[in-house]
Amino acid sequence: MRGRAVLARDLNADNPSTALLVERLAALEPGDAAAALLVLPRRRAVAVLDRPEFETAPDVLTALPRQEAAAFLADMSADRATDVLGLLDGPLRNELLARIEPRARATLKQLLAYPTDTAGGIMTTEFVALPEATTVAAALAHLRTVEQSRETIYAIYVVDSDQRLTAAITLRRLISADPSAAIITLSAGRPPVVVHSDTDRETVASAIRRHDLLAVPVVDAAGHVLGIVTVDDVLDAIIAETTEDVQKFGGLEAFHAPYLQIGFLSMIQKRAGWLCALFLSEMLTASAMQHFEAELERAIVLTLFIPLIMSSGGNSGSQATSLLIRALALGQVRLRDWWRVVFRELPAGLTLGIILGTIGMARIGIWQGLGLYDYGPYWMLIAATVGAGLVGIVTFGSMAGAMLPFILQRLGFDPASASAPFVATLVDVTGLIIYFSVATVILSGTLL
Amino acid sequence: MRGRAVLARDLNADNPSTALLVERLAALEPGDAAAALLVLPRRRAVAVLDRPEFETAPDVLTALPRQEAAAFLADMSADRATDVLGLLDGPLRNELLARIEPRARATLKQLLAYPTDTAGGIMTTEFVALPEATTVAAALAHLRTVEQSRETIYAIYVVDSDQRLTAAITLRRLISADPSAAIITLSAGRPPVVVHSDTDRETVASAIRRHDLLAVPVVDAAGHVLGIVTVDDVLDAIIAETTEDVQKFGGLEAFHAPYLQIGFLSMIQKRAGWLCALFLSEMLTASAMQHFEAELERAIVLTLFIPLIMSSGGNSGSQATSLLIRALALGQVRLRDWWRVVFRELPAGLTLGIILGTIGMARIGIWQGLGLYDYGPYWMLIAATVGAGLVGIVTFGSMAGAMLPFILQRLGFDPASASAPFVATLVDVTGLIIYFSVATVILSGTLL
């Protein structure tokens, strides 16, 4: 233990920034980091634990004596303490909660009940609320005393005699106001921007952005302030959400750890699930091909273009789906706008299909004309099949890719789950059927 | 014009929030919005123009008399004015700049010179800098006088006699400090967190997050403060970056307008370019298939599994690339870590390939055993070909998908350009070659 104490002093010897201290402690074994936290100045230890980047915090708290761990949790900001508690095993979590004094425990238990992707799940209860009649001078004096214990003092929430929110005042407004004025007189005279505990974290982010806020209050149905979400919590939430969305879009379950720290088994688990599901769905392509076996045997030349045609459908679908996922996430398009999207994607898909179809037909014509490959006597019909197939498949791909996010959102899923591989698989099977159906019509009586 | 003035008063009659006013004005024709801005109280008009969500601002300024437009630009925050100027036509931009007073003009011209995805491109020059010896009381008095004209007064930058940054103090620190103390004594005693004008905006975002800041100063090589980037600018930048990344990942050029406002032509242009490029590359699959024509004719049964095998390669590549794009963007993995990634993706790809290969072989065995389809006398060899092909292709797909973001970043491109369709195309062509090569080895002497 003596070595560890020396280590902790060394860690802190050059008066590092909290961010640097977090990095140093995260690099230690949980036991050593726990010992170091006990030796560090209390304020610094709590600041380290308060950082979301200190991802080993749950392991470090587990390594601490129970009473010390509970004391740290009580001193941490309520939103961060909730996040860390949520990552601990159930029995340990209950044991630690039992050692925290009743009021703080009640707050943490309440926060633990909210889903992590809602305002309730990312809010903190450490905010400043003052009665309407408080003077500016009294408010400033109050801020000075609570400065250490509040997540932000840049927004002051004004409440009426029933503790309901009536206004939100910024500190910049406060410091330039007449000290003897009542704080309610600084209000802009319109109801403050609020969110509810079940508001989605992306909606919270857009409220904060739209109104250029540093924090937004979370209120219950009666208008009582339950907590606040600060802009830095929103920033963390948005970055987490982006990572999840990109991973979902890439066709895998979201990972919550940095890439190099993901264990081999968890890596395989999260990737194999989707990959197998897609593989099993994609087996339908083999069934579709078997169904068209007779056509394939008679016109083997048709197989040459299968990869080209399938991938074009997948690519156009992936374009449309990525456009719509973002448009839905940013609220630029709502569920009820689906028909407007149809009216945009249908002509867009047709036009793109005609462009690709023309290139495809030109490719066959040029290869045939230059003698690079012989597609046989019916090469013009084959070119027509490829061209018409591409128009159909690209149009279908754009429509399917655009509608899938709407369908997922309507069913209560995250539209971002309309991953590129999912869309591609959907379009692959349909694409083959479109291609062979077109071939049957155009080539019937000649090749088929 | 009289109707327009009435309209503007109506817009403002219920004392709406700036966000609501932005929505109302954005819904008007640019000419009407311009007329309304002239009638609105000056402070409100400037607040509307200052909002990034007021996306029609360039059109509205274009519709205003030149002198009025220039006056608005001069009153807007420098970073927002720069963004709007950047979207105007060159001649109009120069004309408006010429009408702005020389100092403000110089600032705007300097800001216009920075790329939009760097700290320089999103910073503002409206910050508070004070000499080291300033007392807390004097600093607070100064903040009160400049409160209206500064983007944030929550961070105060302390400069030495050569105007070089020595410390950053928060307002919360300031209001709880002894009024007679010099502000430099409030410094934590370590150098402030800074970024440079060419720092990538994602790096700026992670500096702000890592150190829990409300703003970060942008300094030149000598340590002079050029400007600051505030947390709300970073939030806007991150959301723009996410949209761009998702669109790039979906295989299209980034759109800067909301989905329903994208013109038909620009929609086709931005999608057709990538789609055609991918289509032309994917034509290599037709060439590859032509190359293996003899094998195809002898063993048409091989074609049945082409879509299945190709898509598995694309899916595993898309998974790996989405993981690595985020890991690189979040700084969890650096360029020099590429070999660590190889050591993780190689076994992961092999394992995933073996899983899919086993399922694929089982599929053939079951269909053959149950008499659902007759793959001929060599069905076991065909199953072996499909299985071995899948192992090779999934491993190659994972490796290619994981390495592509590194190669792109090394070449100076955004790793997010390693879009799902791009990876899929790359893997498709190689996948076919792997599949037919495996087939040649396993089936030679029997089917081939």
Side-chain angles (χ1 to χ4, degrees):
Chain A
M1 255 334 240
R2 198 180 159 274
R4 285 174 169 183
V6 173
L7 177 72
R9 272 198 298 275
D10 283 351
L11 287 174
N12 199 35
D14 56 348
N15 184 23
S17 68
T18 306
L20 191 55
L21 203 51
V22 164
E23 269 177 32
R24 290 181 185 169
L25 283 164
L28 298 179
E29 290 298 311
D32 289 337
L37 282 183
L38 292 176
V39 182
L40 279 175
R42 181 84 190 166
R43 193 181 52 78
R44 300 226 69 186
V46 172
V48 166
L49 286 166
D50 259 342
R51 287 297 170 89
E53 297 84 14
F54 190 46
E55 284 168 359
T56 52
D59 305 328
V60 174
L61 286 182
T62 308
L64 277 171
R66 297 288 177 265
Q67 194 53 47
E68 304 288 349
F72 274 125
L73 283 167
D75 284 357
M76 287 162 64
S77 71
D79 52 346
R80 171 73 177 145
T82 307
D83 290 344
V84 173
L85 277 167
L87 293 170
L88 296 176
D89 292 333
L92 177 59
R93 175 168 52 220
N94 292 334
E95 204 185 324
L96 293 178
L97 277 170
R99 288 171 188 262
I100 296 175
E101 56 93 15
R103 256 187 49 169
R105 188 198 312 151
T107 303
L108 290 175
K109 279 193 161 175
Q110 195 197 337
L111 288 179
L112 274 167
Y114 298 110
T116 51
D117 56 353
T118 63
I122 56 175
M123 75 183 182
T124 184
T125 47
E126 286 118 0
F127 56 91
V128 180
L130 292 170
E132 295 179 336
T134 316
T135 63
V136 168
L140 282 169
H142 178 74
L143 291 180
R144 281 182 200 108
T145 62
V146 300
E147 191 258 317
Q148 289 287 334
S149 62
R150 295 299 183 269
E151 179 122 349
T152 182
I153 59 162
Y154 297 129
I156 296 99
Y157 300 100
V158 185
V159 291
D160 65 15
S161 51
D162 290 330
Q163 297 293 317
R164 282 186 307 238
L165 182 69
T166 53
I169 313 279
T170 59
L171 179 58
R172 62 190 293 174
R173 201 76 205 276
L174 209 60
I175 65 157
S176 50
D178 169 12
S180 64
I183 52 172
I184 187 65
T185 62
L186 305 183
S187 146
R190 69 180 78 91
V193 178
V194 297
V195 296
H196 297 279
S197 60
D198 58 353
T199 305
D200 182 84
R201 64 180 174 187
E202 284 199 307
T203 312
V204 177
S206 74
I208 285 199
R209 267 185 83 208
R210 217 170 140 246
H211 298 279
D212 242 339
L213 303 172
L214 291 174
V216 66
V218 183
V219 299
D220 65 14
H224 302 113
V225 189
L226 302 172
I228 59 167
V229 177
T230 56
V231 67
D232 54 298
D233 295 334
V234 156
L235 203 56
D236 291 334
I238 283 190
I239 289 178
E241 184 95 27
T242 302
T243 303
E244 259 180 43
D245 283 2
V246 169
Q247 291 179 352
K248 276 187 197 159
F249 195 64
L252 34 80
E253 272 180 70
F255 287 98
H256 296 288
Y259 176 81
L260 289 174
Q261 283 165 36
I262 303 171
F264 184 73
L265 265 184
S266 121
M267 178 78 101
I268 297 295
Q269 261 173 9
K270 297 219 171 178
R271 285 164 74 163
W274 258 101
L275 217 50
C276 289
L278 291 168
F279 187 75
L280 292 172
S281 327
E282 190 80 27
M283 277 187 179
L284 288 174
T285 58
S287 305
M289 299 270 287
Q290 283 166 203
H291 181 76
F292 290 107
E293 200 198 0
E295 284 81 0
L296 272 175
E297 271 177 18
R298 264 175 285 161
I300 203 157
V301 65
L302 286 179
T303 61
L304 301 181
F305 302 101
I306 288 178
L308 183 61
I309 282 189
M310 277 178 35
S311 67
S312 302
N315 291 346
S316 57
S318 159
Q319 286 192 338
T321 213
S322 75
L323 273 175
L324 269 304
I325 284 173
R326 281 312 285 173
L328 281 166
L330 297 177
Q332 296 168 348
V333 167
R334 276 149 230 257
L335 264 188
R336 60 169 183 273
D337 294 326
W338 67 270
W339 60 273
R340 291 171 186 250
V341 174
V342 170
F343 276 108
R344 308 193 111 234
E345 286 302 315
L346 199 61
L350 269 172
T351 311
L352 293 169
I354 291 169
I355 294 174
L356 294 196
T358 311
I359 302 178
M361 283 165 58
R363 157 71 159 74
I364 295 177
I366 292 169
W367 256 242
Q368 185 76 26
L370 296 179
L372 291 171
Y373 190 82
D374 184 13
Y375 297 101
Y378 301 110
W379 67 270
M380 286 180 76
L381 291 180
I382 292 168
T385 303
V386 169
L390 278 167
V391 174
I393 288 156
V394 171
T395 308
F396 178 79
S398 304
M399 292 295 295
M403 287 301 110
L404 204 59
F406 283 91
I407 296 170
L408 287 173
Q409 177 144 325
R410 185 69 192 74
L411 296 177
F413 294 103
D414 183 348
S417 318
S419 65
F422 187 19
V423 172
T425 302
L426 189 76
V427 176
D428 279 356
V429 182
T430 335
L432 278 175
I433 296 172
I434 295 178
Y435 180 49
F436 280 108
S437 307
V438 168
T440 314
V441 171
I442 295 186
L443 297 174
S444 139
T446 54
L447 268 179
L448 296 179
Chain B
M1 256 335 239
R2 199 177 159 274
R4 285 174 168 182
V6 173
L7 177 74
R9 272 198 299 275
D10 283 351
L11 286 174
N12 199 36
D14 56 347
N15 185 23
S17 68
T18 306
L20 191 56
L21 203 50
V22 164
E23 269 177 31
R24 291 180 184 169
L25 283 164
L28 298 179
E29 290 297 312
D32 290 336
L37 282 182
L38 292 176
V39 182
L40 279 174
R42 180 85 190 167
R43 193 180 52 77
R44 300 226 71 185
V46 172
V48 166
L49 286 166
D50 259 343
R51 285 298 169 88
E53 296 84 13
F54 190 46
E55 284 168 359
T56 52
D59 304 328
V60 173
L61 286 182
T62 307
L64 277 172
R66 297 285 178 266
Q67 194 55 46
E68 303 289 347
F72 274 126
L73 283 166
D75 284 355
M76 286 162 65
S77 70
D79 53 345
R80 171 70 179 146
T82 307
D83 290 344
V84 173
L85 277 167
L87 294 170
L88 295 177
D89 293 334
L92 177 59
R93 175 166 55 221
N94 292 334
E95 204 185 324
L96 292 178
L97 276 170
R99 287 170 188 261
I100 296 174
E101 55 95 14
R103 255 186 52 170
R105 188 199 311 151
T107 304
L108 291 175
K109 279 194 162 174
Q110 195 196 337
L111 289 178
L112 274 167
Y114 297 110
T116 50
D117 56 353
T118 62
I122 55 173
M123 74 183 183
T124 184
T125 48
E126 287 118 1
F127 56 91
V128 180
L130 291 170
E132 295 178 337
T134 315
T135 62
V136 168
L140 282 170
H142 178 75
L143 290 181
R144 281 183 200 109
T145 62
V146 300
E147 191 256 318
Q148 290 288 334
S149 63
R150 296 298 183 271
E151 180 121 349
T152 182
I153 60 162
Y154 297 130
I156 296 98
Y157 300 101
V158 184
V159 290
D160 66 15
S161 51
D162 291 331
Q163 297 293 316
R164 281 186 308 239
L165 183 70
T166 53
I169 313 280
T170 59
L171 178 58
R172 62 190 292 171
R173 202 76 204 276
L174 208 61
I175 65 158
S176 49
D178 169 12
S180 63
I183 52 173
I184 187 66
T185 62
L186 305 183
S187 147
R190 69 181 77 91
V193 179
V194 295
V195 295
H196 297 277
S197 60
D198 58 352
T199 305
D200 182 84
R201 64 181 172 185
E202 285 200 306
T203 313
V204 177
S206 75
I208 286 198
R209 267 185 84 207
R210 216 171 140 245
H211 298 279
D212 243 338
L213 302 172
L214 290 176
V216 65
V218 183
V219 298
D220 65 14
H224 301 113
V225 190
L226 302 173
I228 59 168
V229 178
T230 55
V231 67
D232 54 297
D233 295 334
V234 157
L235 202 57
D236 290 333
I238 282 189
I239 289 178
E241 184 96 27
T242 303
T243 304
E244 257 180 46
D245 283 2
V246 170
Q247 291 179 352
K248 277 187 196 160
F249 195 62
L252 35 80
E253 271 180 69
F255 288 97
H256 296 288
Y259 176 81
L260 289 175
Q261 284 165 35
I262 303 171
F264 184 73
L265 265 183
S266 121
M267 178 78 100
I268 297 295
Q269 261 174 9
K270 297 219 170 176
R271 284 162 77 164
W274 257 102
L275 217 50
C276 289
L278 291 168
F279 186 75
L280 292 172
S281 329
E282 191 80 25
M283 277 186 180
L284 287 173
T285 57
S287 306
M289 299 271 285
Q290 284 166 203
H291 181 76
F292 290 106
E293 199 199 3
E295 285 80 1
L296 272 175
E297 269 175 18
R298 262 174 286 162
I300 204 157
V301 65
L302 287 179
T303 60
L304 301 182
F305 302 101
I306 288 178
L308 183 61
I309 282 190
M310 276 178 35
S311 67
S312 302
N315 291 347
S316 57
S318 160
Q319 285 193 337
T321 212
S322 76
L323 272 175
L324 269 304
I325 284 174
R326 281 311 287 173
L328 280 167
L330 296 177
Q332 295 168 348
V333 168
R334 276 149 229 258
L335 264 187
R336 60 168 184 274
D337 294 325
W338 68 269
W339 60 272
R340 289 171 187 251
V341 174
V342 170
F343 275 108
R344 307 193 111 235
E345 286 301 315
L346 199 60
L350 268 171
T351 311
L352 293 170
I354 290 169
I355 295 174
L356 293 196
T358 310
I359 302 177
M361 283 165 59
R363 157 71 158 78
I364 295 176
I366 292 168
W367 257 239
Q368 185 76 25
L370 296 179
L372 291 172
Y373 191 82
D374 184 14
Y375 297 101
Y378 300 112
W379 67 271
M380 287 181 74
L381 290 181
I382 291 168
T385 304
V386 169
L390 278 167
V391 174
I393 286 157
V394 171
T395 309
F396 177 80
S398 304
M399 292 295 294
M403 287 301 109
L404 203 59
F406 283 91
I407 296 171
L408 287 174
Q409 177 144 325
R410 184 70 192 76
L411 296 177
F413 293 103
D414 183 349
S417 318
S419 64
F422 187 18
V423 172
T425 301
L426 190 76
V427 177
D428 279 356
V429 183
T430 336
L432 278 175
I433 296 172
I434 294 178
Y435 180 49
F436 280 108
S437 308
V438 168
T440 313
V441 172
I442 295 186
L443 297 174
S444 138
T446 54
L447 268 180
L448 298 179

